[in-house]
Amino acid sequence: MEILRLEAIHRTYRQGEAALDVLRGAEFALMPGEAVALVAPSGAGKSTLLHIAGLLERPDAGEVIVAGRGTSTLSDTERTRLRRDEIGFVYQFHHLLSEFSAVENVMLPQLIAGLDKSEAKKRAEQLLTWLGLPDRGTHRPTELSGGEQQRVAIARAVANAPRILFADEPTGNLDIVTSEQVFEALFKLIKATGLAALVATHNLELAAQMDRRITLRDGMIVEV
Ligand code: ADP
Ligand code: ADP
């Protein structure tokens, strides 16, 4: 069964006198273990879609179903809890905390979720090793290359074992070779864990390597 389903999602922004219908009945389903690329021009509504699907924002109409649960009737607290349990985010810029090491950055969401320190540390180290950073755990973000920083950000995003990962231009700030390495690490993780990922990217070569590609056309999601 799908882990995420979007039904008839509408979102309109007010821009002074004008109204901009960014999403006009967008429909989408994501299966466990699937890596889907979202490729669309700037301004098409990719960030809006990811924020709505990731329960950071509410649509004006339509339903976001996460792990079989409708979310429109949930309170903000319930939505936050569901997001914390099931959803991870990666952005173009890593947003790691600069005063903490790589391991500590990956431990943090686990500690917030109530895991004990030694368990959180063990999992953080395992994840970093998995993502190809076995000997970078004690480094602070500024001591890591751009690609390494993004891999730490991915480890942090999946630290609490969410079932869905949203990534918004995760390699947008990286060179071609580094982008490949980060994507490879991400794919390996997806295929090993059954994680489902929706990745907004402008990189067509990387999009071509993913399981499916979608775009936004007139506020609707279409396969390409
Ligand atoms: P993308 O991520 O594909 O670049 P966005 O979802 O960020 O697209 O934005 C889609 C459109 O909606 C753009 O034209 C943008 O200017 C507009 N937009 C985004 N957020 C707001 C907002 N809070 N208020 C008004 N307009 C917005
Ligand atoms: P890239 O080749 O991706 O541009 P860098 O040249 O920034 O990467 O870094 C190369 C290696 O050196 C990386 O593995 C990184 O962990 C390490 N490194 C970079 N800056 C520092 C630093 N200030 N302190 C310790 N290690 C560093």
Side-chain angles (χ1 to χ4, degrees):
M1 198 190 72
E2 71 251 2
I3 188 70
L4 172 74
R5 173 172 287 277
L6 304 183
E7 289 178 347
I9 301 294
H10 287 261
R11 183 75 174 98
T12 300
Y13 291 120
R14 301 277 148 211
Q15 297 186 330
E17 296 289 287
L20 181 66
D21 297 321
V22 174
L23 300 176
R24 301 199 282 186
E27 308 255 12
F28 178 65
L30 188 63
M31 303 297 288
E34 204 178 29
V36 178
L38 169 58
V39 183
S42 267
K46 297 185 296 296
S47 299
T48 302
L49 181 75
L50 292 179
H51 287 161
I52 288 173
L55 308 181
L56 290 167
E57 287 170 28
R58 290 179 188 268
D60 295 323
E63 183 64 290
V64 178
I65 301 166
V66 174
R69 282 183 79 183
T71 59
S72 58
T73 58
L74 297 181
S75 69
D76 287 345
T77 310
E78 290 168 322
R79 286 162 58 89
T80 300
R81 188 175 309 133
L82 187 59
R83 185 170 66 242
R84 195 190 62 201
D85 291 344
E86 302 286 10
I87 296 170
F89 277 96
V90 179
Y91 298 96
Q92 178 169 3
F93 299 100
H94 57 77
H95 299 307
L96 297 170
L97 297 176
S98 57
E99 65 272 35
F100 292 111
S101 70
V103 163
E104 288 165 344
N105 267 283
V106 181
M107 287 171 67
L108 213 58
Q110 302 179 79
L111 298 178
I112 291 168
L115 219 73
D116 81 51
K117 216 170 158 181
S118 68
E119 283 297 313
K121 184 155 190 258
K122 199 169 127 198
R123 174 153 171 87
E125 287 172 344
Q126 276 172 351
L127 273 171
L128 290 173
T129 300
W130 245 96
L131 287 162
L133 304 172
D135 51 6
R136 291 287 183 268
T138 60
H139 292 232
R140 291 187 180 200
T142 52
E143 299 166 342
L144 298 171
S145 71
E148 290 171 335
Q149 290 168 352
Q150 278 305 63
R151 280 184 277 167
V152 176
I154 292 169
R156 179 185 54 183
V158 301
N160 287 333
R163 287 189 282 177
I164 309 168
L165 180 71
F166 295 105
D168 199 348
E169 296 288 350
T171 62
N173 196 33
L174 305 175
D175 63 51
I176 294 168
V177 174
T178 309
S179 297
E180 283 276 353
Q181 291 167 350
V182 169
F183 251 75
E184 250 171 58
L186 180 58
F187 279 149
K188 206 173 96 176
L189 191 74
I190 291 167
K191 295 308 168 189
T193 58
L195 184 70
L198 180 59
V199 182
T201 181
H202 280 111
N203 188 324
L204 297 180
E205 279 181 35
L206 295 177
Q209 295 171 38
M210 300 181 69
D211 298 318
R212 281 196 288 139
R213 283 145 296 282
I214 58 173
T215 191
L216 280 160
R217 204 164 286 154
D218 301 327
M220 303 281 290
I221 293 173
V222 290
E223 302 260 347
V224 286

